[in-house]
Amino acid sequence: MSDHVDGPRSIGDPAADITDLFAFTSPENPARIVLAMDVFPSAGEDAIFSNVIDYAIAVRRVTVAGVGNAAKFQPEADGIRFSFRFETLKRDTAGKAIQHGVCKLPDGRELSLTVNEEKGASTPQGDVRVFAGLRSDPFYLAWDIAVLKKLPNLLQHTNVLSIVVEFDTRRVLDLAKGSLFGAIAETVPPQQRNLLGPAISRIDWVGRPEQTNMRLNNPAMSAITDLRDLWNQQTPFAISKVLQPLFLQRLKDSHATWDMLDGKADWPPETIAATANVFLDDFLLFDVAKPINDRSHLEIEKSTLSGRPYQTGGGRTVDANSIDILLTWLVNKDREFLQGGATGATKPGIKVFPYFATPNTELQIVDETVELAATPDDVWSLIGQFGGAWHPQTARVNLTGAGIGQLRTIQMIDGQQMVERLEAIDDAKRSFRYTNIAGMAASQFTGTLEVKPKGSGSVVDWRVQFVATGKTDRAMKVIVSTLLKTGLESLKSRFGAAK
């Protein structure tokens, strides 16, 4: 998923897991450029930035050093860097938890900011403004890409933490030396020696979308070694010469696999090799002197590989359909556009700073029912006890307290533990309501279990609502639905199914 969850190390530190990188002209002011990075896939409403990680966007000027099968984009040795550090949570005068941070600008100035402050922060000179906070994930993936099967957006309703930098193009970039640039984003831990081995140089970095999850770890290829963590340890703009042959071969093999996914060969071997050489130098190309729009993504690379001058500013906008643009190029070399099962993200980008849509906070609902032959009272006598030991996935239940506010700690047969609290119960109406305190990757998690008469039997309705945190809505719905269905289906063997 773009750069979401792109290796074992980033999975263990989601706040340092970069999901996307963007470079585009400001919709508010064409004289300004926007650079943005997103981190923390499926961020919950209380997600915060790490206070021990440097979040950085680095930019270097690039020249076209070759075209056609000799295509090459050569970055300069030096560049500019926007680096962010965040503090631990504090409380304001109203008792609300807030997080502050500092952006170090390329010229050494420091700009203080408050996370989730909608207007962001600006320098006194007005040449730079920044934002950091929770936003709707602008990326969308609507394919089972290993078999080119269309799906709904797999990231529907998910959020990320966004870092946005907007600056006056001519005041920050010296355009007299050229207007083509390459950008990368990276997350760098403190440079302390690990007692069990060498220091970790970085946790994650990204240039173009899908370098790791689609190109280096192609899901259409079987029995391959996962190179993503090894790749993430490389130095941007300077991939290890020792490891270059390994990465180049994987890029070529991956491209050849994509090419044949539709059963047609569109890419000659020499062009695949040339493309691999270009993508080995992984940085997001953008030209500030040319138009950057929703369709210009990868146009600079495509044109240069085809031996013709590029016409757009490349880059990547908030609403760019980056997955379908890349997939179409890899599979059929733009012979026929491949549109996935969605045409946009959960929310489109906005035209005003900070350009990324507000977070998704809509409650998701899972509702399952079962009709039984037994009377409502008979069924309620079993499941109306908050303990929940009747559920087949329950190994053990410990109760704390009694009545409203009672806690149940459930040990599942798979080892997972959940803590839930009784919020309301009505024996006359045969219903109770509970909330999840721990154990579910969700907030605002509320469940209601109710038994009603139906004919000579009864119907049990189990309804849950939540906001996913740490998992996609799609994944959480599958988990919750499976839990509910398994429990309700088990009641048929006890009470018989309604006829």
Side-chain angles (χ1 to χ4, degrees):
M1 297 182 291
S2 191
D3 208 62
H4 300 60
V5 194
D6 68 322
R9 179 169 284 129
S10 64
I11 292 174
D13 194 353
D17 185 357
I18 303 172
T19 65
D20 282 300
L21 173 66
F22 302 85
F24 55 92
T25 307
S26 165
E28 285 188 312
N29 185 345
R32 298 169 76 91
I33 286 293
V34 179
L35 300 175
M37 64 185 291
D38 291 340
V39 300
F40 210 136
S42 301
E45 57 186 350
D46 296 324
I48 61 173
F49 294 95
S50 171
N51 67 310
V52 296
I53 294 293
D54 278 331
Y55 299 85
I57 300 176
V59 177
R60 296 191 187 186
R61 196 181 318 276
V62 174
T63 56
V64 179
V67 298
N69 286 346
K72 175 72 176 177
F73 297 96
Q74 183 63 48
E76 290 185 350
D78 299 314
I80 64 172
R81 185 179 181 87
F82 298 89
S83 183
F84 289 76
R85 285 296 299 268
F86 296 93
E87 301 174 359
T88 57
L89 286 178
K90 296 180 179 179
R91 294 197 179 276
D92 60 16
T93 55
K96 179 182 178 182
I98 57 175
Q99 187 176 32
H100 297 293
V102 173
C103 174
K104 187 173 182 179
L105 305 181
D107 59 7
R109 289 177 295 167
E110 292 190 346
L111 180 56
S112 297
L113 68 151
T114 300
V115 173
N116 292 320
E117 175 59 51
E118 194 76 11
K119 294 181 180 180
S122 298
T123 59
Q125 299 82 4
D127 56 332
V128 180
R129 62 175 169 175
V130 299
F131 167 87
L134 189 69
R135 309 306 279 183
S136 177
D137 194 338
F139 183 73
Y140 57 104
L141 173 64
W143 292 96
D144 179 345
I145 53 179
V147 293
L148 283 187
K149 178 184 177 182
K150 296 184 180 182
L151 298 172
N153 179 20
L154 299 177
L155 299 178
Q156 192 74 7
H157 299 120
T158 58
N159 297 318
V160 289
L161 291 176
S162 294
I163 292 175
V164 182
V165 180
E166 181 193 274
F167 55 84
D168 184 296
T169 308
R170 293 190 176 276
R171 292 173 67 178
V172 176
L173 303 176
D174 184 0
L175 301 187
K177 297 180 180 179
S179 59
L180 180 62
F181 295 87
I184 65 95
E186 64 179 346
T187 48
V188 181
Q191 293 308 297
Q192 303 175 27
R193 180 169 179 79
N194 187 329
L195 295 178
L196 299 179
I200 299 171
S201 55
R202 62 188 44 78
I203 296 176
D204 197 9
W205 71 280
V206 60
R208 302 177 183 91
E210 298 297 350
Q211 178 78 344
T212 49
N213 287 338
M214 275 184 61
R215 297 177 66 84
L216 290 173
N217 201 49
N218 188 338
M221 300 172 69
S222 59
I224 58 174
T225 302
D226 191 341
L227 300 179
R228 292 176 297 175
D229 265 1
L230 184 61
W231 174 264
N232 286 333
Q233 290 303 296
Q234 301 307 298
T235 302
F237 300 106
I239 305 302
S240 164
K241 292 187 180 299
V242 173
L243 295 174
Q244 282 186 18
L246 173 66
F247 293 128
L248 275 173
Q249 190 60 53
R250 175 60 60 82
L251 290 171
K252 289 188 286 187
D253 292 344
S254 176
H255 196 150
T257 301
W258 286 121
D259 182 28
M260 293 305 299
L261 212 58
D262 62 352
K264 300 178 182 178
D266 294 283
W267 288 85
E270 62 272 16
T271 309
I272 288 178
T275 305
N277 284 325
V278 167
F279 273 76
L280 181 67
D281 295 323
D282 187 29
F283 34 79
L284 183 63
L285 285 168
F286 64 101
D287 191 321
V288 298
K290 294 182 182 294
I292 299 174
N293 55 49
D294 294 345
R295 297 171 300 280
S296 63
H297 179 57
L298 296 183
E299 190 271 332
I300 296 176
E301 292 92 336
K302 292 179 184 180
S303 294
T304 305
L305 282 161
S306 296
R308 62 178 185 269
Y310 61 88
Q311 302 298 312
T312 75
R316 184 184 177 198
T317 63
V318 176
D319 293 326
N321 187 355
S322 57
I323 187 73
D324 292 344
I325 289 173
L326 177 60
L327 197 59
T328 299
W329 191 42
L330 292 175
V331 173
N332 63 49
K333 207 177 180 184
D334 290 340
R335 173 170 39 83
E336 177 185 359
F337 189 73
L338 298 176
Q339 177 67 65
T343 58
T346 308
K347 295 179 180 179
I350 56 179
K351 300 304 181 183
V352 296
F353 187 85
Y355 309 115
F356 293 81
T358 54
N360 299 293
T361 57
E362 301 87 349
L363 286 169
Q364 303 303 305
I365 297 174
V366 176
D367 195 349
E368 302 291 348
T369 62
V370 65
E371 294 184 14
L372 303 171
T375 66
D377 286 339
D378 286 344
V379 176
W380 183 247
S381 67
L382 173 70
I383 69 174
Q385 306 302 311
F386 185 57
W390 59 271
H391 197 291
Q393 290 188 353
T394 297
R396 184 174 64 257
V397 179
N398 293 322
L399 297 175
T400 305
I404 304 303
Q406 183 181 43
L407 297 178
R408 64 181 182 190
T409 301
I410 305 173
Q411 190 75 32
M412 309 294 284
I413 59 176
D414 62 0
Q416 181 184 2
Q417 187 178 85
M418 292 189 293
V419 180
E420 297 172 335
R421 181 172 58 209
L422 181 64
E423 302 292 348
I425 187 166
D426 189 330
D427 286 317
K429 293 183 178 180
R430 307 180 195 88
S431 70
F432 67 75
R433 186 179 76 253
Y434 65 96
T435 54
N436 181 267
I437 306 302
M440 280 290 187
S443 62
Q444 303 181 50
F445 187 107
T446 302
T448 303
L449 193 65
E450 186 174 16
V451 184
K452 295 180 180 180
K454 185 170 184 180
S456 60
S458 59
V459 58
V460 182
D461 181 73
W462 197 350
R463 179 185 177 91
V464 167
Q465 62 184 26
F466 60 87
V467 175
T469 61
K471 292 184 181 293
T472 65
D473 277 358
R474 182 185 179 94
M476 272 303 298
K477 283 183 175 179
V478 170
I479 291 170
V480 174
S481 179
T482 300
L483 179 69
L484 270 55
K485 284 181 177 178
T486 302
L488 295 179
E489 285 295 311
S490 73
L491 297 177
K492 291 181 179 179
S493 62
R494 293 173 181 260
F495 299 107
K499 297 179 180 179

